[in-house]
Amino acid sequence: MASSPVAPGGFIQQQNLVEQVADYLTQAIIQQHFLPGERLSEVQLSRDLGVSRAPVREAARLLESRGLLISKPRRGFFVRALNAVELEDVFDLRLCLERHAIQRLSERYSSDAERALKQQVEILCAAAASNDGTRRIEEDLQFHRLMIHLAGNERLLRAFDGLTHELRLCITLITKTHEAPDTIATSHFKLLDALGSGSSEACREAIDYHIGVARDFVVSGVGE
């Protein structure tokens, strides 16, 4: 019988540390502590976090793969600044995924699904009312992730999960350019109304409007 593989000493602990640093950097970027285009200092971050430079560098590479940072040869890592074309691309892909998801969901919509989504919208509204921007972003993404999960296609869900890192930047921009962030939360009730109608056409129109308004706010804000 083959023996179980033995992980190198400290490997799991090191990986957890990298994820913790990555989570810290993600939140700092979302909260605008690091601005688009700003260079991250590995030395300063390692001092601030009380860790060596290695996990900081690995975390930065991880965030580069997620689209939050970019690296420049011999210059280090910089916070990614999405331009209007890149933002359009992100929302175009998002629309493709969510159009298909909401259509699938409309064909299998149940009272349990309605109850779960309504509860999530209420959580999102509470987050918006609390003025906790980070929590509101996460609850917003959770609503859309739940909708896609309920649509019953796990590969579609994985594709959405891969996009969520860039979407966090996009939703941050919506908050900065939208005059009333609480209306972003309540606008999700319109998606529930469309699903409740049983009309796939109403669902498509609702998701097109929902994501289209978000896209227009972001792109126009970047262009100003």
Side-chain angles (χ1 to χ4, degrees), residues 2-215:
S3 60
S4 300
V6 178
F11 176 76
I12 293 177
Q13 182 179 357
Q14 178 75 2
Q15 289 300 102
N16 288 340
L17 184 58
V18 170
E19 286 289 348
Q20 289 177 47
V21 175
D23 288 344
Y24 167 83
L25 290 176
T26 298
Q27 293 305 316
I29 291 169
I30 291 173
Q31 294 170 7
Q32 303 280 292
H33 295 314
F34 298 120
L35 299 176
E38 182 175 345
R39 179 180 177 276
L40 299 185
S41 169
E42 289 182 16
V43 174
Q44 189 61 51
L45 283 169
S46 66
R47 289 174 180 167
D48 292 343
L49 299 177
V51 299
S52 68
R53 293 177 62 179
V56 173
R57 188 177 303 113
E58 289 303 312
R61 288 173 180 161
L62 181 59
L63 293 195
E64 182 181 22
S65 72
R66 294 175 177 175
L68 298 184
L69 298 177
I70 59 172
S71 61
K72 298 181 181 180
R74 296 181 297 279
R75 295 187 62 195
F77 291 93
F78 295 77
V79 178
R80 186 178 176 193
L82 294 171
N83 59 37
V85 173
E86 290 173 315
L87 288 167
E88 287 275 11
D89 287 347
V90 171
F91 279 102
D92 184 50
L93 178 55
R94 180 185 184 182
L95 190 55
C96 289
L97 296 175
E98 296 206 40
R99 269 181 182 167
H100 186 60
I102 200 169
Q103 182 174 349
R104 282 179 59 94
L105 181 55
S106 70
E107 296 168 356
R108 63 185 68 198
Y109 202 48
S110 65
S111 58
D112 286 343
E114 180 181 25
R115 184 162 49 252
L117 287 170
K118 183 177 180 181
Q119 181 180 32
Q120 183 56 35
V121 176
E122 291 170 349
I123 292 172
L124 172 54
C125 290
S130 71
N131 292 319
D132 185 338
T134 299
R135 182 180 165 222
R136 191 190 63 75
I137 289 172
E138 294 307 317
E139 299 300 351
D140 191 333
L141 286 172
Q142 179 58 28
F143 171 87
H144 291 273
R145 190 180 191 281
L146 178 59
M147 188 178 72
I148 294 172
H149 169 68
L150 292 169
N153 185 326
E154 289 303 309
R155 285 176 174 78
L156 192 67
L157 183 60
R158 287 203 295 270
F160 180 79
D161 284 343
L163 190 63
T164 55
H165 304 293
E166 290 178 301
L167 282 178
R168 285 184 174 89
L169 289 181
C170 296
I171 298 174
T172 298
L173 291 172
I174 296 171
T175 302
K176 288 170 66 67
T177 57
H178 201 293
E179 61 181 358
D182 59 316
T183 65
I184 304 173
T186 57
S187 68
H188 290 73
F189 281 117
K190 295 180 180 178
L191 297 177
L192 298 187
D193 291 341
L195 284 165
S197 74
S199 167
S200 59
E201 182 178 353
C203 288
R204 181 185 176 99
E205 289 178 355
I207 201 68
D208 282 3
Y209 180 79
H210 184 82
I211 296 177
V213 167
R215 177 197 60 216

